[in-house]
């Protein structure tokens, strides 16, 4: 069985093997347990809760090494993978349910390989994503300079109304900073997308990034007519922690 993902353990990679498997069946037959058993190798007894009816796909994009996998693992497990860098192969995914204004929202998060050689594989998934988190590394000017090329690809392959957020990751490494916060903010303004700096290491703004897109997508899906529209830019500005401030250990 393969997820939308190829094996991320390195070694040979066969594009022809990439396919999707969908689990279908009545509520309670064990679809989620089967997936958890496959993903984590364990069975969680007594944990049945009907899978939430509202779910979205979020995709992580950006150059290889900017921290996409760490960003996802920090959000999913609250842990940081330090040490050896193992580049993602093709595409991998994780699920996480978040509460948005009392409603459970399931996010399926796709972690893509930043390496050029996997680009044709990841392009195929753009159109299924409702939100894209586009990361650069604040210690790598090149990863920032490549953001325009990423945005061009996004406009070519993604849905027209996809939610895009620009994230300057590794904000904890201020001594090696190569991209000013103002430059990130100004590029984001130019493209009309929300922006913040993050750290997959300390967790700074990681949850906020996912929560903001979950709120925006949920609002779009089930917006009560009498409620004012959710403003993602304002929400982020009011909630985000600044890297110049006291957010680091
Ligand atoms: N200091 C610091 N290091 C980070 C952070 N995020 C990731 N790293 C490190 O950066 C390296 C690359 O991280 P990954 O998450 O594997 O990068 P990626 O973007 O998924 O790379 P690809 O899978 O090749 O696209 C690893 O050595 C991480 O430990 C961060 O916020 N701060």
């Amino acid at each position: 069985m393969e997820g939308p993902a190829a094996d991320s353990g390195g070694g040979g990679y066969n594009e022809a093997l990439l396919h999707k498997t969908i689990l279908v069946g009545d509520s309670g037959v064990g679809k989620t347990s089967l997936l958890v058993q496959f993903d984590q190798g364990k069975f969680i007894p007594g944990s049945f809760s009907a899978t939430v009816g509202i779910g979205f796909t979020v995709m992580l994009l950006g150059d290889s090494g900017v921290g996409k996998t760490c960003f996802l693992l920090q959000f999913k497990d609250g842990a940081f993978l330090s040490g050896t860098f193992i580049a993602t192969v093709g595409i991998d995914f994780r699920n996480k349910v978040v509460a948005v204004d009392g409603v459970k929202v399931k996010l399926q998060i796709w972690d893509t390989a930043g390496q050029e050689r996997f680009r044709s594989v990841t392009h195929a998934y753009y159109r299924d994503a409702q939100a894209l988190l586009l990361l650069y590394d604040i210690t790598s000017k090149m990863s920032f300079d490549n953001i325009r090329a990423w945005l061009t690809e996004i406009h070519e392959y993604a849905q027209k109304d996809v939610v895009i957020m620009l994230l300057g990751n590794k904000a904890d490494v201020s001594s090696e900073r190569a991209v000013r916060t103002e430059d990130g903010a100004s590029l984001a303004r130019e493209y009309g997308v929300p922006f913040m700096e993050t750290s997959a290491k300390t967790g700074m703004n990681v949850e906020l990034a996912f929560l903001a897109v979950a709120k925006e997508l949920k609002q779009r899906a089930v917006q009560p007519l009498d409620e004012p529209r959710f403003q993602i830019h304002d929400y982020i500005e009011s909630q985000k922690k600044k890297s110049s401030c006291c957010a680091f250990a």
Side-chain angles (χ1 to χ4, degrees):
M1 174 175 160
E2 302 253 329
D7 171 27
S8 52
Y13 171 77
N14 185 348
E15 205 171 305
L17 289 176
L18 195 75
H19 64 271
K20 295 180 184 179
T21 302
I22 301 172
L23 301 179
V24 291
D26 279 2
S27 177
V29 296
K31 300 184 293 297
T32 303
S33 298
L34 191 75
L35 186 59
V36 170
Q37 178 61 257
F38 174 64
D39 188 36
Q40 300 171 20
K42 64 183 179 203
F43 174 68
I44 304 172
S47 66
F48 175 66
S49 66
T51 300
V52 285
I54 167 165
F56 303 108
T57 302
V58 182
M59 206 170 170
L60 299 175
L61 296 173
D63 278 9
S64 179
V66 297
K68 297 179 297 296
T69 301
C70 291
F71 193 82
L72 173 54
L73 294 179
Q74 176 62 252
F75 176 60
K76 177 78 175 53
D77 304 326
F80 176 66
L81 261 191
S82 57
T84 332
F85 163 42
I86 303 169
T88 305
V89 174
I91 187 159
D92 198 357
F93 82 105
R94 295 279 191 285
N95 290 325
K96 180 152 171 162
V97 175
V98 292
V100 178
D101 309 324
V103 175
K104 277 178 161 185
V105 174
K106 182 163 110 182
L107 298 178
Q108 183 173 86
I109 306 154
W110 294 358
D111 175 21
T112 64
Q115 289 178 18
E116 187 79 40
R117 66 197 169 113
F118 297 115
R119 227 36 79 75
S120 61
V121 179
T122 52
H123 283 163
Y125 291 92
Y126 277 52
R127 66 176 175 279
D128 292 330
Q130 278 107 15
L132 301 172
L133 300 184
L134 178 55
L135 281 78
Y136 65 89
D137 170 355
I138 66 135
T139 71
S140 159
K141 178 77 166 56
M142 185 185 276
S143 73
F144 179 68
D145 291 342
N146 285 337
I147 288 294
R148 285 181 191 279
W150 280 106
L151 286 161
T152 304
E153 287 202 357
I154 289 169
H155 288 122
E156 189 170 343
Y157 295 101
Q159 295 176 28
K160 291 283 164 279
D161 62 346
V162 70
V163 175
I164 304 168
M165 191 181 292
L166 180 65
L167 303 174
N169 192 40
K170 304 196 190 178
D172 56 288
V173 207
S174 48
S175 56
E176 291 168 41
R177 178 183 282 277
V179 183
R180 296 180 313 163
T181 307
E182 306 88 88
D183 294 338
S186 135
L187 183 65
R189 258 196 312 278
E190 186 184 327
Y191 284 88
V193 301
F195 164 74
M196 62 188 148
E197 290 194 339
T198 61
S199 168
K201 185 172 184 177
T202 66
M204 184 184 86
N205 291 333
V206 173
E207 190 158 315
L208 174 60
F210 286 104
L211 216 59
V213 293
K215 273 177 175 280
E216 170 72 18
L217 293 169
K218 183 224 146 203
Q219 167 102 17
R220 286 185 187 188
V222 289
Q223 185 186 2
L225 289 172
D226 53 344
E227 264 185 26
R229 189 149 168 32
F230 173 68
Q231 299 293 339
I232 191 167
H233 285 82
D234 296 347
Y235 177 71
I236 286 172
E237 288 309 315
S238 69
Q239 304 288 318
K240 76 181 174 190
K241 294 197 172 61
K242 306 270 190 323
S243 48
S244 55
C245 175
C246 33
F248 306 114

